[in-house]
Amino acid sequence: MTKETILANAKLILSDGVITGSLLLRDGVIADIAEGATVPKGEIDCAGNYLAPGLVELHTDNLERHMKPRPMVDWPHRAAIIAHDRELAGTGITTVFDAIRVGSIVSDDGRKRYGKYARNMADEILMMRDSGALAISHHIHLRAEICSETLEEEMAEFGPDDKVGIVSLMDHTPGQRQFRDMQKFEEYVCGKNGLPREGFGEYVTFLHGLQQRLGARHEASAVAAAARYGAVLASHDDTTATQVATSHGHGVRLAEFPTTREAAEACHNQDIATIMGAPNLVRGGSHSGNVAAKELAELDLLDILSSDYVPASLLLGAVRLGNLWGSMARGLATVTRTPAHHVGLTDRGEIAIGSRADLIEFQVMNDAPILRSVFAMGNRVA
């Protein structure tokens, strides 16, 4: 049976501006767009609130947070996936690329170890997605940890049939990129992850040796695997123009969280889309001491926002960009159309006839968005 829903009297955030109008949703897609504020009988009155495409999230640590709510605590995976799914729906995210680490440290010598989980986790996500258990659209993002021991064998467990959407090159070797500041790295691994501080120096030496021994090989392997999967390749925490040039040579199309203005400018010159963290924008700066997202936005060097570690920051950050740039359409594009199109999802991310009926209704109060409803494929999920 045909299912129709009409959302009326809304400020429609289109790709090129905002108009007052209504949407006809039919069988999971946008079937018609009409201008005007009238609300005929039987239509849903949006009361002048904004109506925008559902948010598209390319990089989030949120699933891992549900998997490990505290250090040394492992939560059941299916329960974690469901909690993650419902939380994202409640923040307006209707498409997510679930970031899953590939590459582990398994040496049994008293250092900080972390085991493999990517293949099993991906299987559970895909099974739950295909069974209809999840409220929003889930895709796979493999975070290839260059400074690890098992990256090649873990990536070999995936293939084209898995439809991996993104592979990001992650090099967390201390003393560079995200962890240029060794004190902040110590706070991260000892404070957050529970490594005894007396073992910190030994752990750093171990990681440096690991990167020197396997880093180049792992990077080449991850690039080749991304091509084998048909995935979009992303870099992570580029700091220098030289690193960006290397990323470009690999075929990188997305730059996650460049740490300096120099790197962001180099990405712009190489036509690599820059992703910055919405928490960075909302807080007014990076918690790691890296370049501020607002600075890059003011320089027109910011293309996409990611919620990173705070799902609710995505819509808030987009609204703040809309106010900064004087265009709500441009601000919302950083979390809708632009991320969708950069990963080849041309069926969503904008209010257009034929697009998926993934939509959010919200109002803005003192620069803070208040989410009123969320639709995924025309069905209300929050």
Side-chain angles (χ1 to χ4, degrees), residues 129-207:
R129 182 188 71 183
D130 294 343
S131 69
L134 303 178
I136 66 173
S137 177
H138 287 255
H139 304 260
I140 303 299
H141 174 167
L142 295 182
R143 304 175 64 177
E145 186 53 69
I146 305 302
C147 189
S148 68
E149 295 177 309
T150 64
L151 179 61
E152 288 180 288
E153 63 190 71
E154 290 189 44
M155 296 201 80
E157 296 178 345
F158 291 85
D161 290 343
D162 293 303
K163 295 182 171 59
V164 175
I166 302 172
V167 171
S168 56
L169 305 176
M170 317 278 291
D171 187 351
H172 287 115
T173 306
Q176 49 93 59
R177 294 182 183 263
Q178 181 181 354
F179 292 123
R180 287 176 294 164
D181 187 326
M182 292 298 290
Q183 181 177 347
K184 289 188 179 296
F185 181 65
E186 182 175 0
E187 291 171 356
Y188 179 82
V189 297
C190 296
K192 179 179 177 181
N193 292 336
L195 177 74
R197 292 190 183 272
E198 59 269 21
F200 175 71
E202 182 184 2
Y203 181 55
V204 169
T205 299
F206 168 71
L207 292 180

Side-chain angles (χ1 to χ4, degrees), residues 8-87:
N9 187 25
K11 296 187 186 76
L12 306 179
I13 301 180
L14 307 179
S15 59
D16 57 354
V18 180
I19 66 169
T20 297
S22 64
L23 298 180
L24 169 62
L25 315 183
R26 179 183 297 133
D27 294 337
V29 301
I30 299 172
D32 194 23
I33 303 170
E35 290 195 59
T38 58
V39 187
K41 185 177 180 180
E43 298 184 8
I44 298 174
D45 186 358
C46 294
N49 294 333
Y50 285 109
L51 201 59
L55 310 184
V56 178
E57 173 59 75
L58 300 186
H59 173 114
T60 172
D61 298 335
N62 196 59
L63 177 56
E64 290 186 350
R65 182 174 65 83
H66 283 285
M67 287 168 51
K68 282 192 158 301
R70 288 189 176 181
M72 310 304 292
V73 174
D74 293 312
W75 204 248
H77 282 182
R78 293 187 188 181
I81 294 166
I82 292 171
H84 163 66
D85 172 75
R86 299 308 194 267
E87 181 181 359

Side-chain angles (χ1 to χ4, degrees), residues 25 57 119 121 137 157 183 195 228 237 308-309 313 344:
L25 315 183
E57 173 59 75
R119 180 67 264 179
M121 176 58 76
S137 177
E157 296 178 345
Q183 181 177 347
L195 177 74
R228 180 165 57 89
D237 298 327
D308 198 8
Y309 57 94
S313 69

Side-chain angles (χ1 to χ4, degrees), residues 317-337:
V319 168
R320 291 200 175 183
L321 284 180
N323 291 332
L324 175 67
W325 287 331
S327 169
M328 195 62 73
R330 184 182 175 193
L332 265 291
T334 65
V335 296
T336 56
R337 185 181 186 278

Side-chain angles (χ1 to χ4, degrees), residues 293-302 324-325:
K294 183 180 178 183
E295 178 184 346
L296 297 188
E298 291 172 337
L299 294 168
D300 290 331
L301 295 174
L302 188 159
L324 175 67
W325 287 331

